[in-house]
Amino acid sequence: MAILFSTKQLFSICIILSFMLSFSYGRSPNPAFRIKAANLGGWLVTEGWIKPSLFDGIPNKDFLDGTQLQFKSVTVGKYLCAENGGGTIVVANGTNTSGWAIFKLWRINETNFHFRVFNKQFIGLDTNGNGIDIVAESNTPGSSETFEIVRNSKDLSRLRIKAPNGFFLQAKTEELVTADYEGATSWGDDDPSVFEMTINGSMQGEFQVTNGYGPQKAPQVMRKHWSTYIVEDDFKFIAGNGLNAVRIPVGWWMASDPTPPAPYVGGSLQALDNAFTWARKYELKIIIDLHAAPGSQNGFEHSSSRDGSQEWGLTDDNIQQTVAVIDFLTARYASCPSLYAVELINEPLSPGVSLERLNKYYKAGYDAVRNHSPTAYVVMSSRIEPIDPSGLGPMDPRDPRELFPLTSDLNGSVIDVHYYNSNKSMTVQQNIDFVCTNRSAQLNQITTPDGPLIFVVTYFVSGEWVAELPVPEASKEDLQRFAKAQQEVYGNATFGWGYWTLKTLNNERKHWSLEWMIENGYIKL
């Protein structure tokens, strides 16, 4: 049963415990102490691959926010396309390789949507014209940009799009798309209002799950998830298996709990309160990690982007809003002896996040933490960038030393470095050698006697360091050696390391679950 405390009760308990345990529990910065953390991924910030079943009850769940759709006219044989990527008319002359032929969903309910195009405008009726032409001009969606998707029950890849005027879209020619088709359909290839749909990408993050279930059902689904996915026994397991900390990803909306802005659901703050209670009981340290910042710092589902857009840090107001979240979280837990560090943001993506903007935020965020705690470490994630110039491949950190000029003057600062180990063309031994040689050299390069502490939260494809090999024939012994090599190399990080993630409910990704790896003899700590 969860132990519930009011904010006032929690604060009083933390004050007493802080006084009693400030020296014995490691409240003072201690570089000799190395973090060995389990990341509690998929708990307070949703990542669909970690717990796929969380999305099972959503009606029309393949049409969540951010889903990328293409519509091929069955009569014209080409794709609906925002001409020039947006700002003008919608035509039907696109190819399946054109980014202009991709429409990102903003879900209103299970059948009604806004469609966002390449340049971030929304398609809608041309209200200044004849009322039937389709344009992509509005930067803010409204009633004129609201469409209904009607699918063929016998072939879900075939659909019609109903416009706000009550008529269906039709491709009359490659250059002329209008909303003036009425009546039923036989779904045949001779109907200009019928389109073949292709799903080019999808997202399963916090925004998708809460907006997918809607305001009536989302609260009960999420609160059940928070109270059952991570429980006290998990903290007992962590403490009993050689780990000394947990890194807890949180979202910016938590600072507005219990009434966060739609579609987010209140209640995650109480779950974090419970985590501090359990951490105290089992003598574990906590790193609060702002995994999802307002506007999304990287456009990924784990930062709760609505449609893959990256809009964090573009304005001073946005930065100040994020600083306020850090201030709230630090103020709430500063007196709790379990609070070991606050991570200001997770994985800001370059070049969308500039170094100038990031440094500005990091300095303000550092000051916000120090306003409440003189001893909590302040963790600053290095920027990541695509390895693949297309932006579709895995990520790797930019040179973390770009943060050194800032952190050199900030006492108790930590740089969080994320590495991706994903080379399918290498053998098992080559992958192990790469960690032992290349990653070790990179770590040595950024670890200096008078520099900031280094926290290695290392990634393979899309999770923190994990003993998964991209080699199909890898044996249990291979995975054991790969895990051991990473532990030895990342154990040299001056702050420590974290494994992603504690558990998954995805049978295809068992090796991502530290709990499963320990219980099945793959990892020893």
Side-chain angles (χ1 to χ4, degrees):
M1 179 180 295
I3 303 173
L4 304 179
F5 293 109
S6 68
T7 302
K8 184 175 181 181
Q9 289 172 322
L10 182 70
F11 182 77
S12 300
I13 291 171
C14 290
I15 286 286
I16 296 170
L17 289 170
S18 178
F19 176 79
M20 294 173 60
L21 302 175
S22 60
F23 294 100
S24 62
Y25 203 68
R27 290 288 290 156
S28 300
N30 177 13
F33 177 83
R34 304 290 177 93
I35 287 292
K36 295 181 180 180
N39 285 274
L40 304 187
W43 184 31
L44 304 184
V45 177
T46 300
E47 292 188 49
W49 71 267
I50 295 177
K51 185 182 177 183
S53 62
L54 190 59
F55 291 78
D56 285 350
I58 299 177
N60 236 6
K61 68 175 183 177
D62 53 346
F63 281 178
L64 299 177
D65 290 276
T67 300
Q68 298 180 24
L69 299 181
Q70 290 183 312
F71 307 111
K72 182 180 180 181
S73 168
V74 297
T75 54
V76 173
K78 296 286 186 70
Y79 291 82
L80 290 185
C81 179
E83 193 167 63
N84 298 324
T88 180
I89 62 174
V90 172
V91 293
N93 62 8
T95 66
N96 63 346
T97 60
S98 170
W100 295 353
I102 289 179
F103 299 85
K104 295 181 178 180
L105 293 183
W106 277 29
R107 181 180 174 118
I108 301 171
N109 53 46
E110 62 183 283
T111 57
N112 291 274
F113 306 87
H114 304 307
F115 298 99
R116 203 179 196 191
V117 300
F118 185 85
N119 290 337
K120 298 185 177 181
Q121 295 99 342
F122 295 86
I123 72 168
L125 291 176
D126 182 6
T127 55
N128 295 321
N130 56 21
I132 64 171
D133 290 335
I134 304 299
V135 295
E137 297 177 339
S138 176
N139 294 317
T140 305
S143 58
S144 294
E145 289 75 37
T146 301
F147 295 83
E148 179 183 355
I149 294 179
V150 180
R151 304 176 80 173
N152 180 1
S153 60
K154 296 181 180 179
D155 181 0
L156 294 180
S157 67
R158 289 208 163 198
L159 53 77
R160 305 169 84 202
I161 303 171
K162 193 173 187 179
N165 62 7
F167 295 99
F168 291 94
L169 268 63
Q170 61 172 324
K172 293 181 176 178
T173 68
E174 289 188 8
E175 306 300 328
L176 184 60
V177 176
T178 57
D180 58 353
Y181 191 97
E182 59 182 329
T185 181
S186 62
W187 298 103
D189 290 345
D190 58 344
D191 187 337
S193 72
V194 174
F195 298 89
E196 291 183 350
M197 174 198 68
T198 303
I199 297 178
N200 267 34
S202 61
M203 303 180 71
Q204 289 193 331
E206 190 81 13
F207 198 102
Q208 285 73 34
V209 72
T210 50
N211 200 40
Y213 277 111
Q216 301 304 315
K217 193 170 182 180
Q220 67 186 73
V221 171
M222 298 310 296
R223 289 167 188 166
K224 180 180 179 181
H225 166 68
W226 294 329
S227 65
T228 58
Y229 189 63
I230 298 293
V231 296
E232 181 179 339
D233 279 349
D234 293 309
F235 280 68
K236 183 178 180 180
F237 174 86
I238 291 167
N241 283 279
L243 296 156
N244 55 28
V246 291
R247 179 173 177 255
I248 306 180
V250 300
W252 63 270
W253 54 89
M254 183 180 282
S256 301
D257 205 282
T259 55
Y264 300 107
V265 173
S268 60
L269 187 60
Q270 182 62 70
L272 186 58
D273 287 350
N274 292 341
F276 272 88
T277 301
W278 300 330
R280 171 182 57 83
K281 180 176 180 179
Y282 295 104
E283 298 186 342
L284 293 171
K285 303 184 186 304
I286 288 181
I287 301 166
I288 298 178
D289 156 42
L290 185 59
H291 220 66
S296 175
Q297 70 275 17
N298 53 36
F300 301 140
E301 61 188 17
H302 63 243
S303 64
S304 195
S305 174
R306 181 169 192 172
D307 66 1
S309 298
Q310 177 189 2
E311 298 172 352
W312 178 86
L314 298 182
T315 65
D316 289 341
D317 287 345
N318 177 264
I319 290 177
Q320 288 305 311
Q321 181 187 5
T322 316
V323 172
V325 174
I326 296 298
D327 184 85
F328 170 85
L329 292 169
T330 310
R332 186 175 183 87
Y333 300 110
S335 299
C336 291
S338 302
L339 180 66
Y340 194 68
V342 177
E343 183 156 3
L344 300 181
I345 202 167
N346 176 71
E347 290 193 329
L349 179 63
S350 170
V353 175
S354 69
L355 181 60
E356 179 185 6
R357 284 281 181 178
L358 189 62
N359 278 339
K360 181 176 183 178
Y361 167 65
Y362 277 165
K363 181 58 172 66
Y366 177 90
D367 291 341
V369 174
R370 286 289 169 259
N371 285 339
H372 302 287
S373 173
T375 57
Y377 286 103
V378 183
V379 183
M380 304 176 191
S381 178
S382 62
R383 292 190 294 166
I384 59 172
E385 61 183 353
I387 295 174
D388 178 354
S390 71
L392 302 177
M395 302 293 158
D396 218 22
R398 290 180 64 92
D399 187 348
R401 291 175 298 180
E402 70 178 14
L403 296 177
F404 278 17
L406 172 69
T407 58
S408 61
D409 295 326
L410 303 179
N411 184 48
S413 59
V414 180
I415 294 180
D416 182 5
V417 182
H418 292 188
Y419 292 127
Y420 287 77
N421 300 317
S422 176
N423 195 327
K424 297 180 180 179
S425 65
M426 295 195 304
T427 65
V428 169
Q429 189 58 50
Q430 287 172 333
N431 273 282
I432 293 173
D433 291 342
F434 181 84
V435 170
C436 294
T437 303
N438 297 61
R439 294 310 191 196
S440 182
Q442 290 172 321
L443 192 56
N444 289 335
Q445 189 180 44
I446 60 176
T447 304
T448 60
D450 56 348
L453 299 178
I454 303 299
F455 183 36
V456 177
V457 191
T458 309
Y459 280 68
F460 162 76
V461 184
S462 61
E464 273 73 351
W465 93 254
V466 57
E468 174 70 287
L469 277 166
V471 182
E473 67 274 13
S475 66
K476 179 176 181 178
E477 182 184 0
D478 292 332
L479 292 167
Q480 289 171 326
R481 291 193 298 122
F482 190 51
K484 185 178 180 181
Q486 291 185 88
Q487 289 179 70
E488 291 176 351
V489 171
Y490 305 141
N492 292 322
T494 46
F495 187 77
W497 54 255
Y499 191 101
W500 190 279
T501 181
L502 174 64
K503 63 167 72 173
T504 71
L505 296 183
N506 185 336
N507 289 331
E508 296 180 1
R509 296 194 174 184
K510 293 179 179 177
H511 301 149
W512 295 76
S513 168
L514 180 59
E515 179 182 73
W516 188 90
M517 296 292 278
I518 290 174
E519 289 178 340
N520 289 275
Y522 285 77
I523 289 178
K524 290 184 179 181
L525 299 173

